Amino acid sequence: MSSRGILVFQSGLCLLLQLMILALYFSQSGFAFDLRGYTFANPALRPVALVISNYSIIIASHCLARYVDKKERILLACTLLLTLGLVFFGSRGNLVSIYLSVLLCYLVKRGRKISLLRITGLIAMITAVGFYLGSARAGEYSMGGFLGSLVFLLFYGNNFSDLRDFAWVYSAWDHVFWAGKTYLAALLAFVPRFASQFRDTWGLGVATASTVGFDPQVHPGLRPGAFGEGFFNFGVFGVVAVGLMLGIILRRVD
């Protein structure tokens, strides 16, 4: 962040990598917004796509943070271009990762100078964009159809699914605790799944999909949330431990 030139160079490199993998994706599947689904069908490309997306998130968030501080427009342009590329990757969490931390720091910095009404409007806008990107990923681009289904997406869609997915996995679970295996698989995430039998069995997405009877080769898995993962690994103790750790981290950040 101390060098605008380095950030611009890194942004250009990220954009080049994005264009390369998206060109391959479009040539094989046509114009669409679900590179994630394409990499599930082609497992060898999955770690490549993850490296590119994570690299883009890191550089874009640093560009945005420096723009907020220095108001250098070229860094805002870099942030928006990298965001546009990530739209086609099919993971809304990538986009949130760029903006959320910077946004929270900005809100803390501004403090009471930002009204509750503005914050509420911002949350509503982010939620609506997230809903629409989910529809675009499924191939539904009509704004009219999206607006008509907005209430359904809010209450019954796949956006706020922690409790639903936890209940789903719990209903099929054999009540044998996973004993930290999904956490160890997460620490080994730099190893591609096709190169590690352990990761291909105990990655959280794989474990949840397999538990409910889905094929983890084509389904990304369910999302029981941080507390759900803690419960399946260590029971109530895991839930308490996760809560304490998150509380300590948030207190330190504050």
Side-chain angles (χ1 to χ4, degrees):
M1 285 179 64
S2 63
S3 171
R4 180 181 65 181
I6 288 179
L7 281 177
V8 172
F9 171 76
Q10 299 271 22
S11 299
L13 184 57
C14 285
L15 287 169
L16 178 62
L17 294 171
Q18 286 184 358
L19 288 172
M20 290 171 62
I21 195 167
L22 288 175
L24 177 63
Y25 168 47
F26 294 154
S27 67
Q28 298 292 321
S29 300
F31 185 81
F33 294 86
D34 194 13
L35 176 64
R36 184 178 67 174
Y38 175 72
T39 58
F40 267 97
N42 300 272
L45 285 175
R46 195 179 308 158
V48 177
L50 286 172
V51 167
I52 294 173
S53 64
N54 289 334
Y55 183 27
S56 299
I57 290 167
I58 292 169
I59 299 304
S61 59
H62 280 72
C63 286
L64 178 61
R66 183 176 167 106
Y67 169 74
V68 170
D69 189 47
K70 303 288 188 181
K71 298 299 184 293
E72 296 164 329
R73 292 183 179 179
I74 189 172
L75 295 180
L76 176 62
C78 290
T79 304
L80 296 177
L81 286 171
L82 290 171
T83 300
L84 179 62
L86 287 173
V87 166
F88 297 97
F89 279 60
S91 176
R92 291 166 295 177
N94 290 345
L95 304 179
V96 173
S97 298
I98 294 174
Y99 293 93
L100 188 59
S101 296
V102 178
L103 177 62
L104 288 175
C105 291
Y106 177 74
L107 292 176
V108 169
K109 179 181 178 181
R110 296 284 294 175
R112 295 183 180 181
K113 295 179 181 179
I114 297 181
S115 69
L116 182 60
L117 182 62
R118 285 189 176 183
I119 294 176
T120 303
L122 184 61
I123 292 172
M125 182 183 71
I126 293 173
T127 302
V129 170
F131 284 178
Y132 183 74
L133 288 176
S135 298
R137 185 173 62 190
E140 299 290 338
Y141 307 118
S142 170
M143 185 61 70
F146 164 71
L147 293 174
S149 62
L150 190 58
V151 174
F152 176 85
L153 290 171
L154 179 63
F155 290 104
Y156 301 105
N158 195 40
N159 301 283
F160 307 109
S161 56
D162 288 21
L163 291 177
R164 182 202 66 185
D165 284 8
F166 171 78
W168 196 348
V169 177
Y170 183 81
S171 68
W173 182 47
D174 60 6
H175 295 275
V176 176
F177 292 120
W178 297 343
K181 294 186 180 71
T182 62
Y183 294 118
L184 180 56
L187 291 173
L188 297 173
F190 59 89
V191 180
R193 266 179 51 189
F194 68 83
S196 169
Q197 181 65 37
F198 182 81
R199 283 208 65 235
D200 201 38
T201 303
W202 288 109
L204 181 62
V206 178
T208 54
S210 300
T211 299
V212 301
F214 289 156
D215 181 358
Q217 297 300 322
V218 297
H219 193 281
L222 300 174
R223 298 173 294 184
F227 295 104
E229 184 177 8
F231 179 83
F232 288 125
N233 277 281
F234 301 110
V236 174
F237 173 78
V239 176
V240 173
V242 169
L244 288 172
M245 290 176 64
L246 290 177
I248 291 170
I249 291 170
L250 290 174
R251 180 65 185 92
R252 297 294 297 178
V253 170
D254 182 67

Short mmCIF file of all heavy atoms in Angstrom, two decimals, residues 14 18 43 102 119 143 161 170 175 182 219 223 249 253:
data_model
loop_
_atom_site.label_atom_id
_atom_site.label_comp_id
_atom_site.label_asym_id
_atom_site.label_seq_id
_atom_site.Cartn_x
_atom_site.Cartn_y
_atom_site.Cartn_z
N CYS A 14 -3.01 -9.24 -12.15
CA CYS A 14 -4.26 -9.93 -11.78
C CYS A 14 -5.25 -9.94 -12.94
O CYS A 14 -5.88 -10.96 -13.23
CB CYS A 14 -4.90 -9.26 -10.57
SG CYS A 14 -4.10 -9.58 -9.01
N GLN A 18 -6.91 -13.10 -14.82
CA GLN A 18 -8.36 -13.23 -14.93
C GLN A 18 -8.78 -13.43 -16.38
O GLN A 18 -9.60 -14.31 -16.69
CB GLN A 18 -9.06 -12.00 -14.35
CG GLN A 18 -9.04 -11.90 -12.84
CD GLN A 18 -9.84 -10.69 -12.35
OE1 GLN A 18 -10.37 -9.91 -13.13
NE2 GLN A 18 -9.91 -10.54 -11.04
N PRO A 43 -11.58 -30.43 -12.36
CA PRO A 43 -10.91 -30.25 -11.06
C PRO A 43 -9.49 -29.73 -11.16
O PRO A 43 -9.03 -29.03 -10.24
CB PRO A 43 -10.93 -31.67 -10.46
CG PRO A 43 -12.05 -32.37 -11.16
CD PRO A 43 -12.09 -31.81 -12.54
N VAL A 102 -12.65 -3.07 4.34
CA VAL A 102 -12.38 -1.65 4.11
C VAL A 102 -13.57 -0.80 4.53
O VAL A 102 -13.42 0.26 5.15
CB VAL A 102 -12.04 -1.41 2.63
CG1 VAL A 102 -11.80 0.08 2.36
CG2 VAL A 102 -10.80 -2.20 2.23
N ILE A 119 -26.46 3.83 6.53
CA ILE A 119 -25.95 2.46 6.73
C ILE A 119 -26.99 1.44 6.32
O ILE A 119 -26.69 0.45 5.65
CB ILE A 119 -25.53 2.26 8.20
CG1 ILE A 119 -24.34 3.16 8.54
CG2 ILE A 119 -25.19 0.80 8.46
CD1 ILE A 119 -23.92 3.10 9.98
N MET A 143 -34.44 -8.33 -14.98
CA MET A 143 -34.61 -7.52 -13.79
C MET A 143 -36.03 -7.60 -13.26
O MET A 143 -36.25 -7.61 -12.04
CB MET A 143 -34.26 -6.06 -14.12
CG MET A 143 -34.28 -5.14 -12.90
SD MET A 143 -33.11 -5.62 -11.60
CE MET A 143 -31.55 -5.21 -12.40
N SER A 161 -28.35 -19.01 4.79
CA SER A 161 -28.72 -20.42 4.87
C SER A 161 -28.05 -21.16 6.02
O SER A 161 -28.08 -22.39 6.06
CB SER A 161 -28.37 -21.11 3.55
OG SER A 161 -27.00 -20.93 3.26
N TYR A 170 -27.30 -31.87 10.04
CA TYR A 170 -27.55 -32.53 11.33
C TYR A 170 -28.53 -33.68 11.18
O TYR A 170 -28.39 -34.73 11.83
CB TYR A 170 -28.09 -31.50 12.33
CG TYR A 170 -28.32 -32.06 13.72
CD1 TYR A 170 -27.25 -32.20 14.61
CD2 TYR A 170 -29.58 -32.46 14.13
CE1 TYR A 170 -27.44 -32.72 15.87
CE2 TYR A 170 -29.78 -32.98 15.40
CZ TYR A 170 -28.72 -33.11 16.27
OH TYR A 170 -28.91 -33.63 17.52
N HIS A 175 -23.71 -38.57 14.16
CA HIS A 175 -23.41 -38.18 15.54
C HIS A 175 -22.02 -38.64 16.00
O HIS A 175 -21.77 -38.78 17.20
CB HIS A 175 -24.49 -38.69 16.50
CG HIS A 175 -25.83 -38.06 16.25
ND1 HIS A 175 -26.21 -36.84 16.78
CD2 HIS A 175 -26.88 -38.47 15.49
CE1 HIS A 175 -27.43 -36.54 16.37
NE2 HIS A 175 -27.85 -37.51 15.59
N THR A 182 -12.05 -31.04 9.62
CA THR A 182 -12.33 -30.00 8.62
C THR A 182 -11.41 -28.79 8.83
O THR A 182 -11.05 -28.10 7.87
CB THR A 182 -13.79 -29.54 8.67
OG1 THR A 182 -14.08 -28.99 9.96
CG2 THR A 182 -14.73 -30.72 8.41
N HIS A 219 -21.09 -30.80 -6.39
CA HIS A 219 -21.78 -29.89 -5.46
C HIS A 219 -20.76 -29.26 -4.53
O HIS A 219 -19.93 -29.95 -3.95
CB HIS A 219 -22.84 -30.66 -4.65
CG HIS A 219 -23.79 -29.76 -3.92
ND1 HIS A 219 -23.47 -29.14 -2.74
CD2 HIS A 219 -25.05 -29.37 -4.21
CE1 HIS A 219 -24.49 -28.41 -2.33
NE2 HIS A 219 -25.47 -28.53 -3.21
N ARG A 223 -23.52 -24.99 3.95
CA ARG A 223 -22.85 -23.99 4.78
C ARG A 223 -23.49 -23.94 6.17
O ARG A 223 -24.40 -23.15 6.42
CB ARG A 223 -22.96 -22.63 4.11
CG ARG A 223 -22.28 -22.56 2.75
CD ARG A 223 -22.54 -21.26 2.03
NE ARG A 223 -23.94 -21.12 1.67
CZ ARG A 223 -24.44 -20.10 0.96
NH1 ARG A 223 -23.64 -19.15 0.57
NH2 ARG A 223 -25.71 -20.05 0.67
N ILE A 249 -11.19 -11.86 18.98
CA ILE A 249 -10.71 -11.20 17.75
C ILE A 249 -11.43 -9.88 17.54
O ILE A 249 -10.80 -8.84 17.27
CB ILE A 249 -10.89 -12.13 16.56
CG1 ILE A 249 -9.94 -13.33 16.66
CG2 ILE A 249 -10.65 -11.39 15.24
CD1 ILE A 249 -10.21 -14.41 15.65
N VAL A 253 -9.86 -6.11 17.42
CA VAL A 253 -10.07 -5.22 16.27
C VAL A 253 -10.66 -3.91 16.74
O VAL A 253 -10.24 -2.82 16.32
CB VAL A 253 -10.97 -5.89 15.21
CG1 VAL A 253 -11.38 -4.88 14.14
CG2 VAL A 253 -10.26 -7.07 14.58
#
